[in-house]
Amino acid sequence: MVIVIPFPACFTPLQNPMASINNTLFLPTNGNLKKSLHCSKPDPFKENKHTQVDYDAGTHKIYTRIPGLRKLDLPKRQRSRVDGDRFQKDWTLSEVVERITKLKHWEDVEGVLNQWAGRFARKNFPVLMREITRIGSIEHAIQVFNWMKNQKNYCARNDIYNMLIRLHARHNRIDQARGLFFEMQKWRCNPDVETYNALINAHGRAGQWRWGVNIMEDMLRAAVSFYLIVFSTLLVPGSGEPLGSVLCNSPRIPPSRSTYNCLINACGSSGNWREALKISKKMTDNGVGPDLVTHNIILSAYKTGAQYSKALSYFELMKGTNVRPDTTTLNILIDCLVKFGKYEEAIEIFNSMREKRAECHPDIVTYTSIMHMYSVCGQIESCRAVFDALAAEGMKPNVISYNALLGAYASLGLSESVSSIFDEMKRNGIRPDVVSYTSLINAYGRSRQPKRAWKIFNKMRRDNVSPNLVTYNALIDAYGSNGFLAEAVELLREMEQNGLQPNVVSISTLLAACGRCCQKSKIDSILKAAKMRGIVLNTIAYNSAIGSYMNVGEYDEALCLYRCMREKKIRPDAVTYNILISGSCKMSKYNEALEMISQLRELNIPWSKELYSSAICAYSKQGQLAEAESMFNMMKGAGFQPDVITYTTMLHAYSVGECWEKALAVFQEMELNDVQPDSVACAALMRSFNKGSQPGKGLLVAEFMREKKIPFTDAVFFEMVSSCSILRDWKRLTDVIEMMELTLPLISVGTLNQLLHSLGKVGNIDTMIKIFLKIVASGAEVEVTTYEVLLQNLLAAGNWRKYIEVMQWMEDAGVQPSAGIYNNILYFAQRSAGIENAAVIRERIESLKRKSVYSTMERKHCDLSLPTHALISSKQT
């Protein structure tokens, strides 16, 4: 059951029993005189509110109705034409609008309008067009307007043309809007200020700010040009002068404040903030003072042009005027502060807005800007808290708010959380857009799930959401960052087939993927492809290419690309030099790294934390401890908090310089600054203690690692073995061996050799042999150097029988003993074994040699899998 209850538009005098049938009300006065009050006729174009209540569904709806001029309001001659035709309908103006909008744009709109009795009233036309344009249906508006022009009672009006020009601007139909401007002049309908404003706004939406400037200049000349053409031959009565010369001094169409605001907005939205300021100055010079809208537009122009510091300065000047900022002003200010990195000030303004609810209450844009700030900072929990506060304030999150939340979680690769928010978004009736899907693809790419990212990409296309360039770049990164370079390149081709041209971000993503996959040829191919497509590489793209060359070990190619970058006047940044310096250190090109540091200082490029760490590493590797210390102090003076990598680099530097006191001070500073040391830092400190003859302190570091539950690595075990060997603490060494037994296959050859040498040096031969056998049984690969350490300690202990047995083990393992191993045992036989033992040793050695030669020949001749020419060549060899 639906009940429609109209609200009373005005008081009806007939409701009063004293009212007469002629709507004349007589009221008593102090005397016997009577005064009459006549009720005016209600406005036919007044919007009347109605409410519709559906008790069955439990819903209510409020809407407005406009009656318009109907059949009874028509002149008699027009009314007689309507009365005699049963096809003529006495619809209200709102009913006509509803019937038109229900039609498809190719259906008969004229048929509906020709049945409407109100078409004979010319005053209905502007209101009809206003309601059609308010709905935003441009096809219906065009057909209604064409029908109007064919009516005999139609008269061209500025307001109708202005509405149509604005509607075409909303639909980015700039040429059609300009055509309407010229058409209205053919009907001798002179444009007014609102017409020019609508046309400037249309060009501003399309980013054509120069057209807007030209239109305002035409606006100033419009009145003069018109009268010069029409009245140039007429004479002014009584003076004899041409009328055209007099009208040259006539008032022109002055731009209003809205005109200037539209033009400033057109320039600012295109990023041309300098031109926006010029027009603002011209506005003030012409005596039109800026208002709050003007200030907001200029602030927005600064923001669009990435002039955040200028926006903040302008806001300070704005506070000195009588114009008070509103929510829009503060939203722009918060966004600029976030982009400028002043997060605390942005939070302060946000909190003040929440406190001063009566003045500037935060809206959904405010909350979304703060969410974006927390997303940039990586504080996703705070971002979620702001999102929840938005809903708690009674505001319904829109797709932009959800996208900000999705982007925060996606930036950290939290794919499960992103998927959950994505589903929540759809449950709340918000349709995901291309940004939502792109965030989900990015999340799966960062969490190393490229196949799931591909599934989301396909689902996106099934849901009729067209992927854009950012979407393809996210998917290319998902494949490239996980080693699927071929799939990433194929996506680039698919993107081009779909009409999307790759940009510099696409090239940068592929270049970084080539470095991860260690494919030098692909790096060259992608650089050539970018050149063929006319894509100009920026600093980020060069950084990706230089880093990829460094990853594949092509130092000269990386350096050549860096020189090319400088020749093309592309300014390198801190990332560029960090890649070059760290790459040079990895390839032991320390002099080149120091040269890069000198170039960096000449260019006055701001240093980053990573760049300081790389420079400290380069100085320490060259033994320039003083320069490394100076760089470390400069880093802290610049406001950068050293991280565990920087502290570890300094620990290595002090280890090389054998300054264990300073190394200990740096380690203690780490703890004071709440920087958790890792295994590498602990190993570096233990090395400093061992080199500084403080092995006991090195073992205390091992105890510290047990307390902090820091994992023991191969480097830590090496230093622990060295400390025990220096202290001759064999009991502690036994404990270290028990700890190492669990990870023997992962222990490096250097650590194993150090352990065997420490045991053999003190004559603990049995333990040394047991450890060696455990190493072999664990499946670890034993190199010839390990055998040499074992044999050296056996010979030093005089155990020649075990020496020969280990040589037999080498033969069985396929490891050929070197000439030095044979010479050592023969020299021992001659000098220290005695006559009888010497003969036995020589006999066994000769037997081993013969067996070794026979085994070598057998391996050469018994490989039947080799072709004939290969066997012949092996025999000749």
Side-chain angles (χ1 to χ4, degrees), residues 566-619:
R566 296 295 304 276
E567 290 173 1
K568 293 183 177 180
K569 307 298 182 183
I570 297 177
R571 183 177 174 82
D573 58 2
V575 178
T576 313
Y577 282 101
N578 181 48
I579 293 171
L580 290 168
I581 295 171
S582 61
S584 300
C585 291
K586 289 178 182 177
M587 298 180 190
S588 301
K589 297 180 179 293
Y590 304 117
N591 291 328
E592 289 82 351
L594 297 181
E595 184 180 348
M596 289 293 173
I597 295 174
S598 300
Q599 294 182 17
L600 175 63
R601 287 175 170 169
E602 292 175 0
L603 293 175
N604 294 323
I605 294 175
W607 287 59
S608 64
K609 182 166 64 175
E610 295 77 13
L611 189 53
Y612 276 112
S613 299
S614 298
I616 292 169
C617 178
Y619 281 125

Side-chain angles (χ1 to χ4, degrees), residues 13 46 89 104 118 120 129 157 189 239 245-246 348 367 435 458 471 496 533 676 716 747 769 776 809 834:
K46 183 177 181 180
K89 307 296 181 182
K104 300 295 183 182
F120 294 107
M129 185 57 65
R157 291 181 46 153
C189 178
S239 66
S245 62
V246 176
E348 184 179 350
Y367 282 95
V435 179
N458 289 331
T471 310
E496 291 181 313
R533 289 165 173 80
Q676 179 66 28
V716 174
I747 301 299
I769 295 296
V776 175
W809 293 348

Side-chain angles (χ1 to χ4, degrees), residues 5 56 126 190 233 272 301 429 543 552 571 578 643 645 708 752 789 800 824 855:
I5 306 172
D56 297 331
N190 293 326
T233 60
N272 199 332
N543 292 346
V552 299
R571 183 177 174 82
N578 181 48
D643 55 8
I645 298 175
K708 298 292 184 179
L752 294 175
V789 171
W800 58 271
N824 288 338
S855 298

Side-chain angles (χ1 to χ4, degrees), residues 749-822:
V749 175
T751 304
L752 294 175
N753 292 349
Q754 176 72 2
L755 176 61
L756 295 175
H757 181 69
S758 298
L759 292 171
K761 187 169 62 174
V762 296
N764 201 343
I765 302 300
D766 292 339
T767 305
M768 182 184 69
I769 295 296
K770 287 180 182 179
I771 294 296
F772 177 78
L773 294 175
K774 285 183 179 180
I775 294 171
V776 175
S778 67
E781 185 177 353
V782 181
E783 297 183 359
V784 66
T785 55
T786 307
Y787 283 105
E788 289 175 350
V789 171
L790 197 64
L791 292 172
Q792 180 183 357
N793 286 284
L794 287 172
L795 201 62
N799 195 340
W800 58 271
R801 291 181 175 81
K802 203 66 177 180
Y803 189 100
I804 297 174
E805 184 179 355
V806 171
M807 290 180 67
Q808 182 65 50
W809 293 348
M810 292 179 68
E811 181 63 32
D812 295 341
V815 180
Q816 181 66 35
S818 63
I821 293 176
Y822 285 109

Side-chain angles (χ1 to χ4, degrees), residues 273-457:
W273 57 272
R274 291 185 177 86
E275 192 67 27
L277 286 181
K278 289 180 182 178
I279 297 169
S280 176
K281 185 177 183 300
K282 185 184 296 185
M283 174 182 182
T284 307
D285 294 342
N286 290 341
V288 182
D291 59 355
L292 178 60
V293 177
T294 313
H295 290 305
N296 288 346
I297 292 173
I298 293 176
L299 284 172
S300 182
Y302 277 130
K303 186 188 75 172
T304 306
Q307 303 296 319
Y308 308 118
S309 60
K310 288 184 172 60
L312 300 179
S313 301
Y314 187 87
F315 179 75
E316 293 299 324
L317 294 175
M318 178 182 169
K319 289 195 297 186
T321 64
N322 294 327
V323 180
R324 303 189 67 178
D326 61 352
T327 300
T328 303
T329 314
L330 297 181
N331 287 345
I332 298 172
L333 186 64
I334 288 174
D335 198 12
C336 291
L337 287 170
V338 171
K339 296 288 180 58
F340 203 55
K342 297 185 176 182
Y343 304 129
E344 294 182 357
E345 295 184 22
I347 292 293
E348 184 179 350
I349 293 176
F350 175 65
N351 291 333
S352 66
M353 291 177 70
R354 298 187 71 183
E355 294 170 0
K356 300 176 182 179
R357 297 180 181 273
E359 295 183 9
C360 296
H361 183 68
D363 57 6
I364 194 167
V365 178
T366 318
Y367 282 95
T368 305
S369 299
I370 297 299
M371 289 171 61
H372 176 69
M373 182 199 72
Y374 283 123
S375 174
V376 171
C377 299
Q379 301 179 20
I380 56 175
E381 296 301 329
S382 299
C383 183
R384 181 74 202 198
V386 174
F387 182 84
D388 294 338
L390 184 153
E393 291 290 336
M395 288 178 278
K396 184 179 180 181
N398 57 13
V399 66
I400 301 175
S401 305
Y402 271 107
N403 287 343
L405 188 62
L406 287 170
Y409 283 93
S411 62
L412 300 181
L414 302 174
S415 56
E416 296 301 324
S417 299
V418 174
S419 179
S420 176
I421 297 169
F422 191 83
D423 294 337
E424 175 190 334
M425 178 180 179
K426 291 193 292 185
R427 285 195 304 270
N428 292 336
I430 297 176
R431 187 173 183 266
D433 60 0
V434 64
V435 179
S436 313
Y437 281 102
T438 302
S439 296
L440 191 55
I441 291 171
N442 188 29
Y444 282 125
R446 289 177 179 269
S447 61
R448 300 186 176 276
Q449 302 180 69
K451 292 183 178 179
R452 295 192 68 178
W454 174 251
K455 288 182 180 178
I456 296 298
F457 183 76

Side-chain angles (χ1 to χ4, degrees), residues 459-602:
K459 184 179 184 303
M460 173 183 180
R461 291 190 288 194
R462 288 196 303 270
D463 292 341
N464 295 324
V465 179
S466 300
N468 58 14
L469 188 59
V470 180
T471 310
Y472 272 104
N473 288 342
L475 193 58
I476 289 171
D477 183 62
Y479 276 111
S481 60
N482 292 286
F484 297 96
L485 184 58
E487 288 81 356
V489 175
E490 185 62 30
L491 275 171
L492 186 71
R493 298 193 183 99
E494 179 186 330
M495 178 172 61
E496 291 181 313
Q497 292 172 0
N498 292 335
L500 291 173
Q501 293 301 319
N503 60 359
V504 69
V505 179
S506 314
I507 299 300
S508 302
T509 305
L510 285 175
L511 287 171
C514 293
R516 298 187 191 99
C517 299
C518 298
Q519 295 191 20
K520 174 187 177 295
S521 59
K522 291 289 185 182
I523 303 174
D524 301 335
S525 301
I526 292 170
L527 289 174
K528 290 179 181 177
K531 187 176 182 181
M532 289 175 57
R533 289 165 173 80
I535 299 174
V536 180
L537 302 184
N538 57 10
T539 303
I540 298 175
Y542 273 108
N543 292 346
S544 299
I546 294 171
S548 297
Y549 276 128
M550 286 290 188
N551 288 340
V552 299
E554 295 290 337
Y555 181 81
D556 294 335
E557 294 287 346
L559 207 59
C560 179
L561 200 60
Y562 165 72
R563 295 193 187 101
C564 178
M565 178 183 183
R566 296 295 304 276
E567 290 173 1
K568 293 183 177 180
K569 307 298 182 183
I570 297 177
R571 183 177 174 82
D573 58 2
V575 178
T576 313
Y577 282 101
N578 181 48
I579 293 171
L580 290 168
I581 295 171
S582 61
S584 300
C585 291
K586 289 178 182 177
M587 298 180 190
S588 301
K589 297 180 179 293
Y590 304 117
N591 291 328
E592 289 82 351
L594 297 181
E595 184 180 348
M596 289 293 173
I597 295 174
S598 300
Q599 294 182 17
L600 175 63
R601 287 175 170 169
E602 292 175 0

